[in-house]
Amino acid sequence: MASVRQKNKRWYYYFNVRQADGTYKRIERGGFKSKRQAQEEGDKIEQEYKGGNTSIIEKPKNITFSSLVDEWEKDAPKLLRYSTIQNYRKYIRIYLMPVLSDRYFTSITTEQYQSILDYCINVRHNRIRSVGTVYLVMRSLFNYAVSKNYVDKKNNPLNDVILPKERSVVMSKIKPPRPVYCLPQEEVKAIFDRFKGTKHYLPLLLGYRCGLRKGETFGLTVEDVDLDNATLRINKQIQLKEDERIYYFTPPKYCKQGEGRTIHIDSNTLAYLKEYLSHYHIKDYYVNANGVLNTDGDGKKINMLLVDKDGNYVDSEKLHYVSAVIHGHKTHIDYVDKDFHYHLLRHTHASLLVAKGVPPTEIAKRLGHKNLETTYRTYIHSSDISENKANDIIDDMYNW
């Protein structure tokens, strides 16, 4: 049985093998999210070695970058969330594969990695955060290569890469920061008037009145609504695994399993929810051990909040119809901006909170922001209403 250990919040397995000269060599692989995953993989590899597969202790002659990515694709679900994998795939496809695909992994130099990051910042004019993600993907692939014994972790060319600290000097001229756009009240009214009495009304209401992210809205269950205390519990989100067309649950953004937040529901939204739940019925839905929503009876029964009149779950893809109507591809709603998307409801909710003087700490908690910096950067500094209100207060303070 292989041994396991934890290092830098990841789990590794290891076992010793006897070599031809009588000495012992430790075989160690890692990067697993859980102790169980490391144990199972370690036991499997150790049994293969004992069964005669000695290739696991031999370093391969070489492997191309594209071949390494293929292997990483197979193992990634053991290491990362599906949404993270999708994001990494995008960066690999856009930035890494065009330059590195045919190169042997051990031959990639610091200069080649550096040139990719410089291209991101100086040619593509990416945000610093995006460039940092490219670097993170590079390191993740290198660590994976180490875990597979393809490279020596002591010879990491990424250690000498210099991450840029600011965007290109021409960035503001080429791609100025996009201000947070909020829906004017007449547009909000037009949207809700159009979808009143439909299955789309409640998801729109929760985005606008509660500031929920899309995955949080469509991941709500009946048990998350506390009518007596006028609160809503957000402890999960639901996402679509596009290649398999299945929905699965994960913790909310920036949260670990079991974490979340509880927010207040305004009186009008509470009254709507009471009326909605008085006529509520749903077909049988279940969530299995992997968090996958299903109708096969696999796992624990679950009461999804958003359902249509026949009891069918209303998923986030139904928003395509909402957007089609608003964008004019269906029956057009007059006066509504063509750039509408669901997240605008959250932006509008937050901006209204700022305008009404709600403390930034409370806004951050309500929206589930990672930190106050996000709240300030996204909403506070960009609110003309907030600035004008502050100016009025200052004038009143010294009006004597």
Side-chain angles (χ1 to χ4, degrees):
M1 185 183 213
S3 300
V4 296
R5 70 187 183 104
Q6 191 177 30
K7 182 174 68 175
N8 297 328
K9 297 183 179 181
R10 292 287 178 174
W11 286 92
Y12 292 73
Y13 69 79
Y14 63 91
F15 57 89
N16 295 321
V17 298
R18 187 183 179 92
Q19 300 185 101
D21 60 1
T23 61
Y24 285 87
K25 178 179 180 179
R26 172 180 283 195
I27 302 299
E28 183 172 14
R29 306 283 188 272
F32 298 96
K33 287 192 295 185
S34 69
K35 180 179 180 180
R36 179 180 177 181
Q37 289 177 340
Q39 188 69 67
E40 290 177 350
E41 186 69 14
D43 292 344
K44 174 185 171 184
I45 297 299
E46 185 178 26
Q47 288 302 316
E48 287 185 10
Y49 173 76
K50 290 179 177 179
N53 181 12
T54 59
S55 62
I56 60 170
I57 66 171
E58 300 172 1
K59 290 187 178 180
K61 294 180 179 179
N62 223 321
I63 186 172
T64 63
F65 181 84
S66 59
S67 297
L68 181 78
V69 170
D70 289 341
E71 288 194 21
W72 173 83
E73 287 267 6
K74 297 176 183 177
D75 290 336
K78 304 175 187 175
L79 309 173
L80 303 167
R81 288 184 184 178
Y82 177 76
S83 56
T84 304
I85 295 170
Q86 291 293 85
N87 198 34
Y88 278 23
R89 282 173 178 162
K90 179 181 71 174
Y91 284 100
I92 290 170
R93 173 175 53 82
I94 295 175
Y95 300 109
L96 303 185
M97 290 298 281
V99 180
L100 305 175
S101 61
D102 295 330
R103 297 184 182 277
Y104 286 114
F105 196 80
T106 54
S107 71
I108 302 174
T109 64
T110 298
E111 290 73 20
Q112 288 166 339
Y113 284 124
Q114 186 71 58
S115 69
I116 294 173
L117 297 179
D118 292 344
Y119 168 79
C120 292
I121 202 76
N122 296 322
V123 179
R124 290 292 295 260
H125 306 290
N126 294 111
R127 297 177 184 274
I128 292 297
R129 182 177 177 180
S130 296
V131 179
T133 304
V134 175
Y135 177 74
L136 185 63
V137 173
M138 291 174 173
R139 291 204 76 99
S140 181
L141 289 172
F142 184 87
N143 291 337
Y144 177 75
V146 170
S147 73
K148 289 293 184 179
N149 214 29
Y150 290 140
V151 291
D152 188 342
K153 64 181 179 181
K154 296 179 181 178
N155 301 319
N156 188 348
L158 290 165
N159 289 340
D160 296 320
V161 164
I162 300 174
L163 275 172
K165 293 189 178 353
E166 58 184 30
R167 302 168 82 178
S168 166
V169 292
V170 299
M171 187 61 224
S172 59
K173 298 180 181 179
I174 295 176
K175 191 177 180 182
R178 184 175 65 181
V180 173
Y181 174 73
C182 302
L183 292 167
Q185 286 302 301
E186 60 270 20
E187 294 189 15
V188 172
K189 185 177 185 306
I191 291 172
F192 282 98
D193 285 347
R194 169 61 178 80
F195 292 105
K196 189 174 183 178
T198 72
K199 61 187 176 185
H200 310 294
Y201 189 84
L202 183 53
L204 293 171
L205 192 68
L206 292 169
Y208 176 63
R209 293 269 182 89
C210 299
L212 303 189
R213 300 179 179 94
K214 181 171 68 173
E216 295 170 346
T217 296
F218 288 89
L220 288 172
T221 62
V222 173
E223 292 74 21
D224 295 326
V225 182
D226 186 341
L227 296 177
D228 294 332
N229 295 304
T231 59
L232 194 63
R233 180 181 60 186
I234 298 98
N235 60 1
K236 58 190 172 303
Q237 63 178 334
I238 197 166
Q239 298 185 12
L240 174 64
K241 194 171 186 179
E242 295 184 1
D243 52 352
E244 298 181 31
R245 307 304 299 173
I246 58 174
Y247 281 94
Y248 66 101
F249 290 96
T250 68
K253 193 173 184 180
Y254 307 128
C255 292
K256 297 178 181 179
Q257 192 71 40
E259 295 180 345
R261 65 191 190 277
T262 300
I263 65 171
H264 175 71
I265 306 172
D266 68 275
S267 57
N268 289 331
T269 303
L270 184 65
Y272 182 88
L273 283 168
K274 286 181 178 178
E275 174 65 20
Y276 173 85
L277 289 174
S278 69
H279 300 95
Y280 173 88
H281 76 281
I282 187 174
K283 294 182 177 179
D284 290 340
Y285 284 87
Y286 301 85
V287 57
N288 67 20
N290 295 318
V292 175
L293 185 68
N294 67 90
T295 57
D296 304 326
D298 180 13
K300 180 181 177 182
K301 192 171 182 179
I302 189 170
N303 298 311
M304 302 303 295
L305 178 65
L306 302 178
V307 295
D308 62 20
K309 61 182 180 180
D310 297 319
N312 298 303
Y313 170 56
V314 176
D315 60 59
S316 59
E317 292 213 300
K318 302 299 187 295
L319 288 176
H320 293 324
Y321 173 78
V322 174
S323 296
V325 171
I326 293 173
H327 296 162
H329 302 309
K330 301 284 184 182
T331 306
H332 179 51
I333 302 176
D334 291 335
Y335 310 120
V336 178
D337 193 278
K338 296 296 195 304
D339 290 331
F340 172 86
H341 53 83
Y342 187 80
H343 210 71
L344 275 183
L345 299 172
R346 176 177 164 88
H347 285 325
T348 304
H349 177 78
S351 297
L352 289 173
L353 295 179
V354 172
K356 292 296 183 180
V358 176
T361 50
E362 294 304 312
I363 296 174
K365 285 194 293 185
R366 184 172 178 83
L367 297 180
H369 283 163
K370 185 177 184 180
N371 48 47
L372 266 176
E373 179 187 352
T374 303
T375 312
Y376 273 99
R377 185 179 66 247
T378 309
Y379 300 110
I380 307 297
H381 80 279
S382 63
S383 174
D384 293 334
I385 298 175
S386 180
E387 183 176 351
N388 292 335
K389 188 171 183 178
N391 292 340
D392 291 340
I393 292 173
I394 292 170
D395 289 339
D396 290 340
M397 283 170 60
Y398 303 110
N399 190 18
W400 51 274

